[in-house]
């Protein structure tokens, strides 16, 4: 079996090409699986038909299950905003520590 290296675009665990899916696409694929399962297909067959592994499907379902497209967009926006705010707090905390150290004369 050939070696799969990091950054090759292939997931070394699943051996499938790594593909970044947009949240809207994920929600659509989850709905598609639900429809196929309701039509009598097994979950494994339905998941295979959308081109992802069962692990990915269940991970997506855990994160996005029950959300509508606009809710997923809002979730991603809030996650980005949260990340930005955490970085700002971290930067300000570091500046505060530097100023405190400089004020005490221990440099």
């Amino acid at each position: 079996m050939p070696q799969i290296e990091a950054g090759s675009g292939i997931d070394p665990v699943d051996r499938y090409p790594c593909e970044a899916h947009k949240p809207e696409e994920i929600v659509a694929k989850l709905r598609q699986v639900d429809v196929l399962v309701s039509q009598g297909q097994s979950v494994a067959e339905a998941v295979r038909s959308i081109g992802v592994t069962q692990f990915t499907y269940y991970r997506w379902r855990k994160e996005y299950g029950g959300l509508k497209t606009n809710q997923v967009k809002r979730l991603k926006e809030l996650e980005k905003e949260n990340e930005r705010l955490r970085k700002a707090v971290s930067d300000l905390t570091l500046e505060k520590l530097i100023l405190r150290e400089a004020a005490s004369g221990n440099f």
Side-chain angles (χ1 to χ4, degrees), residues 16 19 21 25-37 41-58 60-61:
Y16 288 101
E19 191 176 319
H21 292 87
E25 295 171 343
I26 293 172
V27 170
K29 287 187 178 203
L30 289 174
R31 285 193 190 131
Q32 186 178 354
V33 169
D34 289 341
V35 168
L36 293 172
V37 168
Q41 282 191 11
S42 69
V43 173
E45 291 171 343
V47 168
R48 198 174 315 116
S49 72
I50 65 167
V52 297
T53 62
Q54 284 191 0
F55 179 80
T56 299
Y57 166 72
Y58 286 112
W60 284 354
R61 201 171 88 176

Side-chain angles (χ1 to χ4, degrees), residues 42-103:
S42 69
V43 173
E45 291 171 343
V47 168
R48 198 174 315 116
S49 72
I50 65 167
V52 297
T53 62
Q54 284 191 0
F55 179 80
T56 299
Y57 166 72
Y58 286 112
R59 183 170 39 87
W60 284 354
R61 201 171 88 176
K62 180 180 177 186
E63 186 173 351
Y64 298 106
L67 294 178
K68 292 179 175 38
T69 305
N70 61 344
Q71 292 172 320
V72 171
K73 285 181 184 178
R74 182 71 178 138
L75 172 67
K76 290 300 173 185
E77 289 171 2
L78 290 173
E79 286 174 349
K80 279 185 179 180
E81 178 71 6
N82 192 19
E83 182 181 338
R84 187 186 67 76
L85 291 172
R86 283 179 189 268
K87 185 175 180 340
V89 168
S90 174
D91 291 346
L92 290 172
T93 303
L94 182 60
E95 287 179 23
K96 177 182 169 187
L97 291 173
I98 291 170
L99 290 172
R100 184 182 295 154
E101 190 73 22

